[in-house]
Amino acid sequence: MHVTDDINHMTRNIDRWAVKHHPYVLEYLRIALGIFIFIKGVMFISDYRSLQHMIEISHFQGYAMGIAHLVAFAHLAGGPMIALGLKTRFACLLQIPILIGAVLFTSFGKGIYAENYYLVEASITLMLLIFYAFYGSGYISLDRKLRDNTKDILY
């Protein structure tokens, strides 16, 4: 229980700092990241064979179809959550392993050059997800709105 209290205290301190030193560009970047991830999920569903092929060449042939469905579902559910600022840390934490897989298994080893824009795209997305996993939803978010409404009800 003591570790959970420390983690809760740490996230409350991060949230307080974020509200006090708040650049709004981070809000718009979070919204864009969520929309981008959602669009990738739609693209995976509309062209699931492409995703399945990427997974197959990454040495996970036996699990390719299942992984393709999990990735698409995670992007379709997580993207809007990130964009709306609803359980942003949780949604980012669910996306991070997918993006690590994208960087390591599908893009890595080809180098950074014009034909390998997937590596750059996946790397930037991964860095942003890690950032928002720590930073949280921010000021313009459903999390903040729900938290403020809860305070109004309790007091």
Side-chain angles (χ1 to χ4, degrees):
M1 286 283 234
H2 183 60
V3 172
T4 340
D5 293 338
D6 289 342
I7 291 171
N8 288 335
H9 179 68
M10 182 178 70
T11 55
R12 274 195 303 269
N13 285 340
I14 291 171
D15 286 340
R16 278 191 216 118
W17 181 89
V19 168
K20 196 176 199 181
H21 304 90
H22 188 72
Y24 282 96
V25 71
L26 294 178
E27 301 294 329
Y28 303 122
L29 187 59
R30 187 202 75 235
I31 293 167
L33 174 65
I35 292 170
F36 174 75
I37 289 172
F38 177 76
I39 289 171
K40 286 302 250 184
V42 170
M43 289 170 58
F44 289 154
I45 283 182
S46 63
D47 189 17
Y48 75 92
R49 293 196 192 282
S50 173
L51 176 64
Q52 186 177 0
H53 175 69
M54 284 174 33
I55 294 169
E56 285 173 352
I57 63 173
S58 70
H59 313 294
F60 288 101
Q61 294 91 353
Y63 306 104
M65 188 58 103
I67 292 173
H69 283 91
L70 283 173
V71 167
F73 176 75
H75 283 354
L76 289 173
M81 288 175 70
I82 293 168
L84 296 171
L86 180 63
K87 302 295 181 193
T88 303
R89 287 185 174 115
F90 174 74
C92 287
L93 289 173
L94 289 179
Q95 301 296 319
I96 288 172
I98 295 169
L99 270 295
I100 289 173
V103 168
L104 294 179
F105 299 114
T106 61
S107 305
F108 197 69
K110 297 177 186 173
I112 298 177
Y113 54 91
E115 289 129 21
N116 194 19
Y117 64 92
Y118 292 117
L119 177 61
V120 175
E121 177 184 286
S123 298
I124 291 170
T125 305
L126 177 61
M127 287 186 284
L128 287 171
L129 286 169
I130 292 170
F131 173 76
Y132 284 107
F134 285 103
Y135 181 76
S137 10
Y139 192 74
I140 304 172
S141 67
L142 286 178
D143 281 342
R144 180 177 170 272
K145 183 74 173 161
L146 292 171
R147 192 171 43 243
D148 289 351
N149 285 344
T150 304
K151 287 178 185 175
D152 291 341
I153 292 169
L154 293 175
Y155 299 108

